[in-house]
Amino acid sequence: MQKEERQNFMKNNLRIIISGGGTGGHIFPAVSIANAIKEQRPDTEILFVGAEERMEMQRVPAAGYKIIGLPVAGFDRKNIFKNFSVMIKLIRSQLKAKKIIKNFKPHAAVGVGGYASGPTLKMAGMMGIPTLIQEQNSYAGVTNKLLAKKAKIICVAYEGMEKFFDKDKIIMTGNPVRQGLLNNNVTREEAIKSFGLDLNKKTILVLGGSLGARTLNNCMMKKIELIKGTDVQFIWQTGKYYINEAKYCHNKAGQPAMIHTTDFISDMNSAYKAADLVISRAGAGSISEFCILGKPVILVPSPNVAEDHQTKNAMALVNKNAAICIKDNEAESNLIETAIKLVNEKDRLCKLSENIKKLAFYDSANIIAQEVCKLADNFKNENGY
């Protein structure tokens, strides 16, 4: 594109920055929002800002969007002396974010959570760019509470968030989920067969997230012999950090046919269709998917997250009889036994499914996209570029 054509294009279209990532729970909603914006306003130019060496640097380009990485890193809560280098990276990230904003000239900036959203949204706010925060959890993190002071709009997924944010800025939107989950034409038979499992057995899906969950993997490895003696089968997603250990354990147990072991599930439509019950951490993005699909779930909140927000996410469902919660430090002793018992209780599964589905938001990405475009249009009209 010639320089003059580029200038005319930039003058006529909207330009949006979307920042955040670190885990699939942040990346999938971010991409869903971007896709919704492009559907509503095809001429919009979208730039992602992520954290260097995090998974968004691969996943976002794979979704068709440009991304720039910041050298930002998370704070070490266990060893405060390691945070000197983190502070240096934060300062460098803020300076780089300022340069990105100056060059790209966005009409609005969106923060979806994750390391990069802090410096990007902070600098956008300081430079007068309208910002929108998408708070996924039922308990707001420190970064979002700070960013909220300058944010124009705060999109939330849980009731009662006015205790963290200005109620006049809050819009209840729910969390965007992966596109295609509701347009799932895969049959249960096709799904079960794709994992090499038995059509006549109840199926439990164990989700450790894209990176993995130590506790969930330990539960599976320690209970393989128990599982072999039951009439229940498992799809076990270990995460990339635990696949070798899990495969070794699986092989040592004689490669039982009722356990399908994999590090990553690319076809989540089939995994969800096959599952009668899900075992998962309590990340907000995952919970939103369970709600939309009406999946009975046992949640094991991670204890290694800020403000213990996963426990609060889980309890928001438990209090409405929409999920089962087992504490992380109790999981190895009773998680698998509880799951095997529950998956055979048809009435209880039906009730959990009915209740969790009542909490679903079906059009989150489009609603958030509309708000982003409004912010951008207003800014563009007021500033003439």
Side-chain angles (χ1 to χ4, degrees):
M1 188 180 288
Q2 298 296 322
K3 184 176 180 181
E4 185 176 344
E5 292 176 332
R6 168 69 179 166
Q7 288 174 340
N8 289 332
F9 178 71
M10 290 187 71
K11 186 175 181 180
N12 293 324
N13 73 339
L14 291 183
R15 295 182 298 279
I16 309 293
I17 280 179
I18 300 178
S19 185
T23 66
H26 290 125
I27 297 165
F28 295 132
V31 171
S32 292
I33 293 169
N35 290 343
I37 290 171
K38 291 293 282 185
E39 285 179 13
Q40 294 176 23
R41 302 285 289 272
D43 62 338
T44 301
E45 189 172 359
I46 295 174
L47 174 66
F48 278 77
V49 179
E52 292 175 356
E53 300 181 1
R54 303 292 288 187
M55 68 166 61
E56 59 264 28
M57 301 307 293
Q58 286 77 46
R59 297 284 174 82
V60 168
Y65 296 100
K66 181 181 178 182
I67 187 168
I68 300 175
L70 302 180
V72 65
F75 283 95
D76 191 323
R77 292 179 172 83
K78 296 180 180 178
N79 188 343
I80 59 173
F81 296 105
K82 290 185 178 179
N83 287 326
F84 178 75
S85 63
V86 175
M87 288 301 298
I88 297 299
K89 288 180 179 179
L90 179 61
I91 293 169
R92 288 174 56 210
S93 295
Q94 289 178 349
L95 293 174
K96 187 172 182 179
K98 183 177 181 180
K99 184 177 180 181
I100 291 169
I101 293 166
K102 187 176 180 180
N103 290 338
F104 186 66
K105 295 181 173 61
H107 300 113
V110 180
V112 296
Y115 298 146
S117 65
T120 307
L121 270 284
K122 178 182 178 181
M123 296 312 298
M126 290 176 64
M127 296 170 73
I129 306 300
T131 61
L132 178 148
I133 296 170
Q134 200 254 320
E135 174 55 67
Q136 295 186 355
N137 295 294
S138 61
Y139 191 93
V142 173
T143 300
N144 271 357
K145 283 189 279 190
L146 292 172
L147 294 174
K149 294 174 182 177
K150 281 190 173 290
K152 297 288 187 183
I153 296 171
I154 303 162
C155 298
V156 302
Y158 291 89
E159 298 171 352
M161 298 303 287
E162 60 274 3
K163 61 179 174 281
F164 304 111
F165 305 125
D166 181 346
K167 65 179 182 181
D168 293 330
K169 296 181 179 181
I170 293 174
I171 298 176
M172 179 74 79
T173 62
N175 292 321
V177 299
R178 283 175 267 209
Q179 269 112 347
L181 284 181
L182 285 174
N183 303 318
N184 186 359
N185 296 318
V186 177
T187 66
R188 181 180 184 275
E189 181 178 358
E190 291 169 338
I192 292 288
K193 284 184 176 179
S194 72
F195 292 101
L197 297 175
D198 189 334
L199 281 171
N200 299 311
K201 291 185 177 182
K202 296 288 187 181
T203 305
I204 298 174
L205 171 63
V206 181
L207 295 175
S210 50
L211 303 180
R214 165 58 67 186
T215 297
L216 301 189
N217 287 318
N218 280 347
C219 290
M220 288 295 294
M221 288 187 284
K222 290 184 178 182
K223 300 292 183 176
I224 280 187
E225 293 301 323
L226 170 70
I227 292 169
K228 285 168 63 177
T230 71
D231 198 33
V232 175
Q233 58 194 1
F234 285 76
I235 300 170
W236 177 16
Q237 187 244 319
T238 68
K240 68 176 184 178
Y241 292 139
Y242 301 100
I243 185 61
N244 292 334
E245 190 178 2
K247 285 284 191 184
Y248 172 80
C249 188
H250 190 227
N251 292 338
K252 187 178 178 182
Q255 299 183 346
M258 74 281 295
I259 303 176
H260 175 91
T261 307
T262 181
D263 60 336
F264 182 75
I265 299 172
S266 57
D267 185 4
M268 281 304 299
N269 279 346
S270 290
Y272 281 136
K273 183 69 75 171
D276 298 290
L277 174 67
V278 180
I279 294 173
S280 173
R281 289 302 200 188
S286 296
I287 287 176
S288 295
E289 293 186 352
F290 306 148
C291 291
I292 281 178
L293 297 172
K295 280 295 167 184
V297 60
I298 298 176
L299 298 170
V300 185
S302 171
N304 306 312
V305 295
E307 288 88 28
D308 195 26
H309 68 252
Q310 285 204 5
T311 295
K312 297 174 177 71
N313 290 348
M315 293 311 298
L317 272 67
V318 170
N319 291 337
K320 295 185 178 181
N321 193 27
I324 306 296
C325 180
I326 293 179
K327 293 180 181 178
D328 186 85
N329 60 8
E330 297 175 358
E332 288 187 23
S333 64
N334 64 18
L335 173 61
I336 300 302
E337 291 88 341
T338 300
I340 290 170
K341 183 174 182 289
L342 177 60
V343 80
N344 286 299
E345 296 178 350
K346 183 177 179 181
D347 291 344
R348 196 173 181 201
L349 287 182
C350 287
K351 183 55 68 176
L352 287 170
S353 179
E354 289 173 9
N355 290 341
I356 199 170
K357 208 160 189 177
K358 293 175 185 175
L359 306 178
F361 290 87
Y362 291 95
D363 205 27
S364 299
N366 280 322
I367 295 169
I368 294 171
Q370 288 169 7
E371 296 299 330
V372 174
C373 291
K374 282 184 205 171
L375 279 183
D377 280 329
N378 290 339
F379 179 80
K380 186 177 180 182
N381 291 336
E382 290 171 2
N383 292 273
Y385 73 88

